Amino acid sequence: MDKIKCECGHLNPYGTTLCESCGKPIGEEQSTKLLNMRYEGSARRSQTYNTHTIDKIWNFFSSVKVGVWLIVITLIASAVGTIFPQEMYIPTSEDPASYYEEEYGVLGKTYYLLGFHNLYSSWWFVLLLGLIGVSITVASIDRGVPLYRSLKNQRVNKHDNFMKRQRMFSATKRREDEEQLMEEIVFRLKEKRYNVRKEDGNILAEKGRFSRWGPYVNHVGLIIFLLGVMLRIVPGMYMDKDMWIREGETKAVDGTTQTYYLKHEKFTFEVYDQENEQYSEALKRVQQPVPKNYQSDVVLYKAEEKLPGAKPELKKVKEYAIQVNKPLKFEDFAVYQVDYRQEMRKMSFKLENKETGNSVGEFTVDLLNPKSEYKLENGSRVVLEHYYPDYYFNEESEKPATRTNMPNNPAFIFKMYTPETPEGEITFIAIRQNLDPSGENEYKLSFAGIGTEFITGLTVKKDHTLPIIILGGLIFMIGVVQGLYWNHRRIWVKIRENEVWMAAHTNKNWYGITREVDDVTTKLGLDQLVDRQENKAPDS
């Protein structure tokens, strides 16, 4: 659309309500209402154009109400996400799909199905953050650019209507020592650290303009902060994965594309001594051992270049004892000690005659790698027919089954062969269960012992987004300080035929500018400015 030409000669964008140069009201010259100086009367796109689809989209996102609603929805979603633990905080051995339903019932199942268990990395939560970022960006451009243009183009000599419709205004009879008066006004204002400009006998004193950009600096900080949060879903930017390693086991470190490997040499577990006087009372109240230290002694290896399909050659990088809050760091990764558990590794059994109790022999089953057959004395042997590492009874199929491959609740079906029973006898054995399906077995298996081992729980972290998030937070705080502790103050002085006009405006803290202006007018014998919004003299 065509630009609007003011009587001062300045070309204003369509939609401007106050001339960017002289401040003359456009379209309401006869009004006596106080001017709305929030955006200096500049033309905002969202208030001017509403024809095309792009205009409607722009107007939608520039709305403060839309931005507030997006933030409210995000806050509500975040609050719902704290009702139950996020997936990263549930036991790593648990299946999330069944864990939430078993622990929290129907609400837990619904919580999981709606994706609240991984709320902060879900696509719809990231989309909400993105929409907030778009809203902030559009609103900042819609308001900030016109405001900058208006403040940049403002001139010293303001239109009469602009002066008389300011909130604070006074008119003093013209004096003979006019030039001296103007010089004294300039001097007094400079004393108060105003930047003073003179033009054709008129004065514009201004200070603290940079405070007007405080909210926009806030917005820049928020956009950078949101960008950092959203980048966490980009592969390679952020990683937080758990890995469990048994003593003596070597595993590739997650996220390193099998370039780095960790070997778990030894796990150390220490508890506080109950005999220690310093901790004895607290330990008695807890009534269970309290871990003092648990650490994993590991060796970090780096895989050399290898042919596809070939076993990698590992080169030792360093040895390290990973403790809580003392991670192993290499390249962009940090490996933290976060958990441990003690699991069954071996089970020993004795083959005994039911009547005499005589033992035929003893054998040990490796729960991670069991053999199919175990040979005993006098030609006796035990064959492992079925193995259920994590046993439960499936009521639908009415057969034994296993939940996982981890030996959390091992159960076995053995077939026992002895010289007296060459055809073999079936037995089912599990923790606290020893069943003879036929009820006619001559021999039985009994527990002889359990061997356990520690498994260390480590978390591998990589975070390239943290510097971005910190930068955004820092810029946001700079904007808060910038907009909170400074004010944009302006004082205009204009010589008319028989009067000296003075007007003042600030974006906030009217009490502060009132004190400054009163000090100048009192010392120079000018009429005090009247605050028309309060309809009273500021000093009364």
Side-chain angles (χ1 to χ4, degrees):
M1 295 185 181
D2 295 336
K3 292 193 174 185
I4 303 172
K5 186 174 183 180
C6 179
E7 65 182 35
C8 69
H10 183 75
L11 292 176
N12 296 282
Y14 178 80
T16 302
T17 58
L18 294 178
C19 175
E20 295 175 339
S21 179
C22 70
K24 177 188 175 183
I26 299 175
E28 51 177 30
E29 290 84 352
Q30 305 303 320
S31 175
T32 58
K33 288 171 54 178
L34 297 182
L35 294 175
N36 182 358
M37 297 287 289
R38 186 172 185 182
Y39 299 111
E40 304 292 314
S42 56
R44 291 167 50 200
R45 179 188 177 96
S46 61
Q47 303 296 316
T48 306
Y49 303 100
N50 194 28
T51 305
H52 302 292
T53 303
I54 294 178
D55 297 331
K56 296 181 185 297
I57 294 173
W58 181 274
N59 297 346
F60 176 80
F61 281 108
S62 68
S63 170
V64 174
K65 290 182 180 179
V66 170
V68 170
W69 272 111
L70 287 172
I71 293 172
V72 169
I73 293 170
T74 304
L75 290 175
I76 292 173
S78 301
V80 173
T82 63
I83 294 175
F84 300 130
Q86 291 289 291
E87 183 180 342
M88 67 180 71
Y89 298 115
I90 70 173
T92 53
S93 59
E94 296 284 351
D95 177 22
S98 58
Y99 175 83
Y100 285 97
E101 184 175 7
E102 291 174 359
E103 290 290 326
Y104 309 110
V106 177
L107 286 177
K109 183 178 181 180
T110 306
Y111 187 85
Y112 174 79
L113 292 176
L114 292 176
F116 284 104
H117 67 295
N118 264 329
L119 173 67
Y120 306 108
S121 59
S122 62
W123 67 268
W124 59 269
F125 187 82
V126 174
L127 178 62
L128 278 175
L129 296 181
L131 292 175
I132 291 174
V134 171
S135 177
I136 292 173
T137 302
V138 172
S140 298
I141 295 174
D142 186 68
R143 293 160 173 80
V145 173
L147 177 62
Y148 171 79
R149 187 174 57 242
S150 293
L151 293 176
K152 181 182 178 182
N153 292 328
Q154 67 175 337
R155 71 181 191 183
V156 176
N157 186 12
K158 287 295 188 179
H159 193 273
D160 290 357
N161 201 320
F162 176 88
M163 295 284 288
K164 290 190 291 185
R165 291 173 63 184
Q166 290 298 316
R167 174 172 167 174
M168 297 184 67
F169 176 78
S170 72
T172 306
K173 288 185 179 181
R174 195 167 178 175
R175 296 178 358 193
E176 295 181 359
D177 56 344
E178 177 183 304
E179 292 187 6
Q180 182 180 352
L181 174 63
M182 299 300 282
E183 292 298 326
E184 288 182 357
I185 292 175
V186 170
F187 175 76
R188 296 295 180 185
L189 291 174
K190 284 185 176 180
E191 270 190 332
K192 299 183 181 303
R193 300 186 179 181
Y194 279 86
N195 295 317
V196 181
R197 292 163 54 193
K198 291 182 65 178
E199 182 182 294
D200 298 332
N202 302 291
I203 295 174
L204 167 59
E206 182 179 20
K207 71 176 178 180
R209 184 194 291 189
F210 75 98
S211 69
R212 295 290 289 272
W213 314 124
Y216 303 99
V217 174
N218 289 153
H219 293 173
V220 171
L222 282 173
I223 292 168
I224 294 174
F225 183 89
L226 291 173
L227 178 64
V229 174
M230 294 172 63
L231 283 175
R232 291 196 164 201
I233 66 171
V234 177
M237 292 297 293
Y238 178 80
M239 188 182 74
D240 187 346
K241 291 187 176 181
D242 296 328
M243 60 184 299
W244 292 86
I245 312 180
R246 299 175 180 275
E247 286 182 308
E249 187 180 11
T250 302
K251 268 190 177 181
V253 179
D254 289 333
T256 64
T257 61
Q258 296 188 339
T259 301
Y260 286 95
Y261 290 75
L262 273 184
K263 182 179 181 182
H264 184 196
E265 294 281 359
K266 180 185 177 183
F267 187 82
T268 302
F269 179 75
E270 299 174 342
V271 298
Y272 284 97
D273 184 4
Q274 293 187 352
E275 302 300 325
N276 190 318
E277 295 182 359
Q278 186 176 358
Y279 309 110
S280 59
E281 291 187 9
L283 293 173
K284 287 178 182 178
R285 287 196 299 269
V286 176
Q287 295 183 347
Q288 63 181 4
V290 176
K292 180 180 181 181
N293 174 45
Y294 50 96
Q295 71 178 46
S296 304
D297 296 332
V298 300
V299 181
L300 178 66
Y301 292 97
K302 186 175 183 180
E304 301 291 338
E305 294 185 6
K306 64 181 179 67
L307 296 174
K311 187 176 180 180
E313 294 184 8
L314 302 181
K315 181 180 179 182
K316 183 177 178 181
V317 178
K318 66 176 176 179
E319 297 179 357
Y320 193 80
I322 305 176
Q323 296 177 307
V324 178
N325 296 326
K326 292 183 179 179
L328 165 64
K329 294 183 179 180
F330 60 96
E331 290 191 359
D332 298 327
F333 298 89
V335 183
Y336 290 83
Q337 179 75 62
V338 294
D339 203 355
Y340 69 93
R341 64 173 181 248
Q342 195 171 10
E343 287 189 351
M344 292 179 287
R345 178 60 191 266
K346 296 178 180 180
M347 272 190 171
S348 298
F349 302 92
K350 288 192 295 184
L351 180 60
E352 298 175 326
N353 186 291
K354 278 187 175 182
E355 292 184 1
T356 64
N358 293 333
S359 174
V360 177
E362 185 175 318
F363 64 97
T364 301
V365 179
D366 186 334
L367 300 179
L368 295 178
N369 187 25
K371 297 179 182 179
S372 59
E373 183 177 333
Y374 299 90
K375 294 182 179 181
L376 305 176
E377 302 171 3
N378 301 325
S380 298
R381 60 194 177 93
V382 176
V383 176
L384 179 59
E385 296 283 333
H386 297 284
Y387 172 45
Y388 309 98
D390 196 0
Y391 164 73
Y392 78 102
F393 186 78
N394 191 324
E395 294 182 356
E396 294 182 1
S397 63
E398 296 184 348
K399 292 181 180 180
T402 183
R403 290 189 177 88
T404 67
N405 293 324
M406 301 303 295
N408 299 321
N409 184 28
F412 312 86
I413 295 179
F414 290 111
K415 195 167 187 178
M416 305 171 289
Y417 294 91
T418 63
E420 293 82 4
T421 57
E423 70 284 357
E425 297 176 331
I426 297 293
T427 183
F428 174 84
I429 188 166
I431 295 175
R432 296 184 178 180
Q433 294 187 60
N434 196 338
L435 305 179
D436 177 1
S438 66
E440 298 177 355
N441 288 350
E442 295 183 25
Y443 286 84
K444 68 174 184 178
L445 287 175
S446 58
F447 283 110
I450 296 177
T452 62
E453 69 175 359
F454 280 105
I455 304 177
T456 184
L458 305 175
T459 293
V460 183
K461 291 190 176 185
K462 180 175 73 170
D463 194 350
H464 287 160
T465 66
L466 188 59
I468 300 174
I469 292 173
I470 292 175
L471 176 63
L474 180 62
I475 292 175
F476 177 83
M477 291 307 301
I478 291 173
V480 170
V481 174
Q482 181 178 343
L484 190 63
Y485 292 100
W486 282 273
N487 326 123
H488 181 208
R489 299 178 180 178
R490 283 174 291 176
I491 299 173
W492 297 274
V493 181
K494 185 171 185 176
I495 302 296
R496 297 299 293 153
E497 294 180 358
N498 298 314
E499 294 176 319
V500 177
W501 287 2
M502 181 178 287
H505 180 267
T506 181
N507 63 326
K508 59 179 179 290
N509 189 12
W510 288 89
Y511 175 74
I513 195 172
T514 299
R515 289 184 59 189
E516 289 185 338
V517 173
D518 282 355
D519 183 61
V520 173
T521 56
T522 300
K523 289 179 179 179
L524 299 181
L526 300 172
D527 292 347
Q528 289 187 340
L529 274 70
V530 177
D531 188 341
R532 268 91 65 82
Q533 183 165 303
E534 300 293 338
N535 199 25
K536 62 182 181 180
D539 62 340
S540 62

